[in-house]
Amino acid sequence: DAQVYDDAWITNAAEVSDDAKVFGEAHVFGDALVSDNAMVFNNAEVCGNAHIFGDAMVSDNAMVTINATVCGNAHVYDDAWVSNNACVTSNARVFGNATINGDAVITDEASVCGYSTITDNAMVYGNTEIRGTAYIGDDAIVVNAVIEGNTSIIGEAEIGKTSDYILLSPIIRNETLLQHSSLSLTFYKSKHGISISGDTRSCYTYGEFIKLLHEKIHDKKLLRRYKKVMRFAKKMIK
């Protein structure tokens, strides 16, 4: 039977059923449902129509909210946040300060940690590891790869292995081509061939980025250096 004990509490229309357990100082409220053999404990919060089921666990200071689902043998912990129709399932792990939202799916043996964000219909699966301050969004698919640093992978990316992307530092310190950019540039495989992103807002095809270089850079020597870097990145992504 379901158990709620210690200083845990449930309120409103929330429900804990089957053999689920809520304990520690965990909170389950709103229209949330915790069922099957799921466990919510420590200071975790589950609310906003979220559903935790199967053998899933939500613990520490994690929050699962706004129609999100955690199921299978998945574990969400530390200060992770899962919301907005996102799904964490199978044996996936989401921890650290990671954020999963916007219909994103994390499944299989995938793990997401650090300050990484997975959003906007992105799918992360296989033995993928996402860490650092990586940003994965816009229908990106990442499988069996290690993504780290301040990588930005957006715009229908198709990453099937770690060598499908490369993160490069700026050519000149404190110099950036893109507004809001983290200065670094990420080159990666996508449905459009090689795509390039410097932030979470914009991405370019290889050809579009060449055009941008000519628009933004009037120093011929610097332009040649950028093109050399681009050729190197393209060669590295096989």
Side-chain angles (χ1 to χ4, degrees):
D1 295 333
Q3 297 182 50
V4 179
Y5 52 97
D6 293 338
D7 292 317
W9 51 266
I10 65 171
T11 61
N12 305 118
E15 182 180 350
V16 178
S17 63
D18 302 320
D19 293 309
K21 295 178 175 61
V22 178
F23 56 98
E25 297 184 358
H27 298 169
V28 179
F29 56 102
D31 293 306
L33 172 61
V34 182
S35 62
D36 296 332
N37 296 298
M39 293 194 291
V40 180
F41 56 101
N42 297 136
N43 295 296
E45 294 188 5
V46 177
C47 58
N49 292 298
H51 190 182
I52 316 299
F53 62 100
D55 293 298
M57 293 189 291
V58 180
S59 63
D60 299 327
N61 296 300
M63 174 172 277
V64 181
T65 183
I66 314 178
N67 300 305
T69 301
V70 181
C71 57
N73 290 294
H75 190 181
V76 178
Y77 57 104
D78 288 340
D79 293 293
W81 186 295
V82 181
S83 65
N84 295 97
N85 301 298
C87 179
V88 182
T89 184
S90 191
N91 294 300
R93 299 288 181 267
V94 177
F95 57 102
N97 291 277
T99 298
I100 316 297
N101 59 25
D103 295 288
V105 176
I106 316 297
T107 187
D108 296 337
E109 306 293 330
S111 67
V112 182
C113 63
Y115 286 86
S116 298
T117 298
I118 316 297
T119 188
D120 297 336
N121 297 296
M123 177 173 283
V124 176
Y125 62 105
N127 290 299
T128 297
E129 294 180 31
I130 311 289
R131 54 200 187 212
T133 55
Y135 184 97
I136 314 293
D138 291 349
D139 299 298
I141 296 173
V142 181
V143 56
N144 298 326
V146 176
I147 309 293
E148 55 191 342
N150 59 342
T151 303
S152 176
I153 295 177
I154 59 178
E156 299 182 306
E158 295 181 338
I159 308 298
K161 56 186 182 299
T162 303
S163 60
D164 283 345
Y165 89 100
I166 185 170
L167 179 65
L168 297 177
S169 298
I171 290 177
I172 297 177
R173 193 172 184 177
N174 297 325
E175 174 271 333
T176 179
L177 287 169
L178 305 177
Q179 187 179 11
H180 310 299
S181 175
S182 62
L183 301 182
S184 299
L185 294 174
T186 307
F187 294 74
Y188 54 92
K189 280 188 177 180
S190 75
K191 289 183 178 179
H192 312 290
I194 301 295
S195 290
I196 298 129
S197 176
D199 54 39
T200 63
R201 297 170 174 82
S202 56
C203 67
Y204 301 84
T205 64
Y206 196 88
E208 288 171 342
F209 200 77
I210 289 286
K211 182 179 179 181
L212 179 69
L213 289 177
H214 284 277
E215 292 174 352
K216 296 282 189 177
I217 299 175
H218 304 290
D219 183 309
K220 291 183 178 179
K221 184 176 180 180
L222 180 58
L223 183 60
R224 285 196 299 269
R225 290 176 66 188
Y226 257 107
K227 288 183 176 180
K228 185 176 181 180
V229 166
M230 290 184 68
R231 288 194 295 270
F232 167 79
K234 191 174 185 179
K235 183 178 179 180
M236 294 298 293
I237 299 172
K238 300 176 181 179

